């Protein structure tokens, strides 16, 4: 019974190491998820604040805001796909990203990649028009 500590350690250490790595990657995934959600909404809000501009200018302002807000804040996601939709009443920013798990050769196809898809929507409001409409009611 002299080697029982070595045998127990050889069984426990890989499981402990895998659980620590999985917990770290889960934390990074959740962090990137929050950054993407926040960035989508902030970019949509900044685009929606361009009340007297055309759709091309609103799209340009929204893209600039998105690249400025995200910057280099993402930890495990190298690139994102973005889609900006502008209509009369709202601006919608959809961000799609993929994070790859470590040791993915051992995992199934469903577990290899973690998908993030977040949508931020902001209503386009014209402050001047809203104030004039409110004065009509009073």
């Amino acid at each position: 019974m002299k080697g029982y500590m070595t045998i127990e350690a050889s069984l426990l250490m890989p499981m402990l190491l895998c659980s620590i790595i999985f917990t770290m990657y889960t934390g990074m995934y959740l962090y990137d998820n929050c950054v993407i959600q926040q960035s989508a909404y902030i970019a949509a809000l900044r685009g929606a604040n361009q009340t007297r501009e055309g759709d091309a200018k609103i799209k340009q302002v929204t893209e600039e805001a998105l690249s400025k807000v995200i910057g280099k804040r993402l930890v495990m996601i190298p690139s994102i796909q973005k889609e900006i939709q502008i209509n009369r009443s709202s601006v919608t920013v959809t961000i799609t990203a993929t994070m790859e798990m470590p040791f993915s050769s051992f995992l199934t196809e469903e577990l290899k990649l973690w998908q993030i898809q977040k949508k931020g929507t902001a209503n386009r409001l014209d402050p001047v028009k809203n104030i004039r409409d409110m004065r009509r009611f009073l």
Side-chain angles (χ1 to χ4, degrees), residues 71-84:
K72 297 194 183 287
R73 292 176 56 197
L74 296 175
V75 177
M76 293 299 297
I77 296 175
S79 64
I80 60 170
Q81 294 81 34
K82 59 188 174 218
E83 179 185 346
I84 299 171

Side-chain angles (χ1 to χ4, degrees), residues 8-24 103:
E8 286 179 5
S10 69
L11 294 175
L12 288 178
M13 288 307 289
M15 290 190 303
L16 183 63
L17 185 64
C18 286
S19 65
I20 289 172
I21 289 173
F22 182 75
T23 303
M24 287 175 49
F103 312 114

Side-chain angles (χ1 to χ4, degrees), residues 96-129:
T96 306
T98 304
M99 181 177 151
E100 189 171 338
M101 280 294 294
F103 312 114
S104 60
S105 60
F106 301 114
L107 300 174
T108 62
E109 286 298 320
E110 294 83 24
L111 296 176
K112 279 185 183 181
L113 302 174
W114 287 357
Q115 295 285 331
I116 300 174
Q117 183 173 10
K118 295 296 177 183
K119 185 183 288 189
T121 302
N123 291 331
R124 292 177 66 184
L125 300 175
D126 186 2
V128 175
K129 182 180 177 301

Side-chain angles (χ1 to χ4, degrees), residues 57-69:
K57 176 70 173 172
I58 292 172
K59 187 170 186 171
Q60 176 188 1
V61 168
T62 306
E63 286 178 354
E64 289 172 1
L66 185 60
S67 64
K68 186 177 181 181
V69 170

Side-chain angles (χ1 to χ4, degrees), residues 19-66:
S19 65
I20 289 172
I21 289 173
F22 182 75
T23 303
M24 287 175 49
Y25 269 83
T26 303
M28 290 181 221
Y29 171 79
L30 292 174
Y31 172 78
D32 284 347
N33 199 349
C34 290
V35 167
I36 288 174
Q37 175 68 45
Q38 176 186 10
S39 299
Y41 179 70
I42 289 173
L45 189 62
R46 289 187 184 166
N49 285 338
Q50 304 296 317
T51 55
R52 304 262 181 211
E53 305 293 335
D55 288 353
K57 176 70 173 172
I58 292 172
K59 187 170 186 171
Q60 176 188 1
V61 168
T62 306
E63 286 178 354
E64 289 172 1
L66 185 60

